[in-house]
Amino acid sequence: MCLAIPMQIIRLDGDTALCRAKGVEREVSLFLVADQPLAEGDFVMVHVGYAIQKVEPARAGEAWALWRAMDPARGQGGDA
């Protein structure tokens, strides 16, 4: 089973980005989305350290809503 989470790009640095979700920041490889225009503030789906898809903010919010629905006790906090 594969799992990806939406994260917001905080800073771009060549082929990597600093991304944030739920107060956690991670360096993320942009290698798999190199063909897509990305900017600070964009949301990407991240799987094992790689951005695999750019997503609209509404879709990122929907993903976090699903997480909260599956486990309300762990789903507290900001959406991005």
Side-chain angles (χ1 to χ4, degrees):
M1 176 178 175
C2 294
L3 179 67
I5 62 166
M7 298 187 83
Q8 188 172 27
I9 297 173
I10 304 303
R11 184 181 68 239
L12 291 168
D13 186 19
D15 60 350
T16 63
L18 178 65
C19 296
R20 181 183 301 138
K22 300 290 185 186
V24 175
E25 294 183 353
R26 296 274 190 260
E27 290 291 329
V28 173
S29 172
L30 302 175
F31 176 77
L32 299 174
V33 291
D35 62 332
Q36 299 178 33
L38 296 170
E40 291 177 6
D42 285 345
F43 285 85
V44 290
M45 296 300 287
V46 178
H47 174 67
V48 294
Y50 287 86
I52 59 173
Q53 179 183 13
K54 180 179 175 180
V55 294
E56 294 299 318
R59 297 282 291 174
E62 290 171 5
W64 284 117
L66 287 171
W67 277 101
R68 284 191 299 275
M70 289 187 291
D71 189 357
R74 291 179 168 245
Q76 302 304 313
D79 285 343

